[in-house]
Amino acid sequence: MFDPWSTKLRDFDVLHYFSSIGGEHFPEWRKHVARLAVTPFIWPELPKWVALTRRARRAARRGMRRPVAGPYAAVDVLFPTSMREADLLVRNYAVPRNRVTVIPHGADLRFAEPATGTFAKTVGVPRFTLCPARIDQNKNQLRLVRALADMDLDLVILGDVAPGCESYAKACRAAAGPRTRFLPSLPHGSEELRDGFVTADCVVMPSEYELCSMAMLEAGVAGTPLASTTGGGMVQHLSPYAEFFNPRSETEIGRAVLAAIATGRRPGQSEHFATKFSWDEVARRTVEAYLRVT
C-alpha cells in the first residue's frame, strides 16, 4: 500500500493516479517516476467561450514557436473510459492522441447469478424499474420521476442524497407518483443489491452525463433490460443492448423505459458484458498500456 511518508516514487516503473484533482502535481511527480499514467475521471467538455479562448492561445503559441502545454502535458498515458471522453481530452486539453488508451470500468460478474427474490420482498412489489444512483442534479432523477409518474409501473430510486442536494431530493419526492419508492443505498457486495439488478424489469440511468456507469455495466451482466442517457460515454458501452434517450426530454425518458421493458431480455447480453467488462479484461488492457510506455 502507498505510504506518503515512506514510499519512494523513484522505486516504481509506473505511477498510476486515479483523478484529475491534484493534477498540478503531475510535473513534479513525473520527475521522480519512469512513467506517469492517469485515469482522469473528468468529463472534459468546456464552455464554448473557454474552448475558443484555449484554441486561440494555442494557435498564437504555435505561431511564436512556443510549446503547447495542457494540464496533462507531463502524463505519459491517459486512461479515459470512453472514446467520447478521449476525443474531448484531445480537443480541449491538447492531449496527444498517441498518449490516450480508452479503458472502461469493470463489472462484478456475480451479477450474472440467478435471482433470489430478496429485493422484491424489500420493496413490496414483484415488478419494478430500478434507478441505482445517488440523488443529485446530474443524475437527473427529477426528470425521471416526472416522466414515469403517471405510468402503470413501479419505480425504485436506490441511492443516498448527495451532500448539498437535499432541496433537489425534496423536489424529486414531491414530483414522484404514488408508485415511486425511495430507498437508501445498499453495499455493493450485498445480495439484496445484486438481486435488485437481476430482477428489475428495467435498470435506467437518466444522468445528464455519465462517464462509465458501473451500475449499468453490472445490470448488463445481469441481462436486465437497459434504458440509458445519451449524455457522456454510455452509448459506446451499452450499444446495442439498451434503449437510449436525451436526458433533458421527459418524453424520451418515458418512451425508452417502456421500450426496454417491452423488449425484455436480449439474447447474448449477459455474456457480452461479462466478457467485455470483466475486471480481468480491464487489468489485461491496463497492463498492456503500461508495457507500451515503459
Side-chain angles (χ1 to χ4, degrees), residues 119 123 125 127-133 144 148 153-159 179-183 204:
F119 189 82
V123 299
V125 290
R127 303 187 62 181
F128 55 90
T129 291
L130 180 66
C131 176
L144 175 65
L148 304 187
L153 54 83
D154 291 284
L155 171 65
V156 178
I157 306 291
L158 180 65
R179 297 177 64 176
T180 297
R181 293 163 173 79
F182 292 84
L183 298 180
V204 55

Side-chain angles (χ1 to χ4, degrees), residues 197-215:
F197 278 58
V198 176
T199 56
D201 285 342
C202 171
V203 175
V204 55
M205 187 59 64
S207 307
E208 297 233 354
Y209 68 88
E210 191 73 36
L211 290 175
C212 182
S213 169
M214 285 176 60

Side-chain angles (χ1 to χ4, degrees), residues 3 44 91 96 126 152 230 267 278:
D3 180 348
R91 186 180 76 191
D152 184 24
T230 55
S278 72

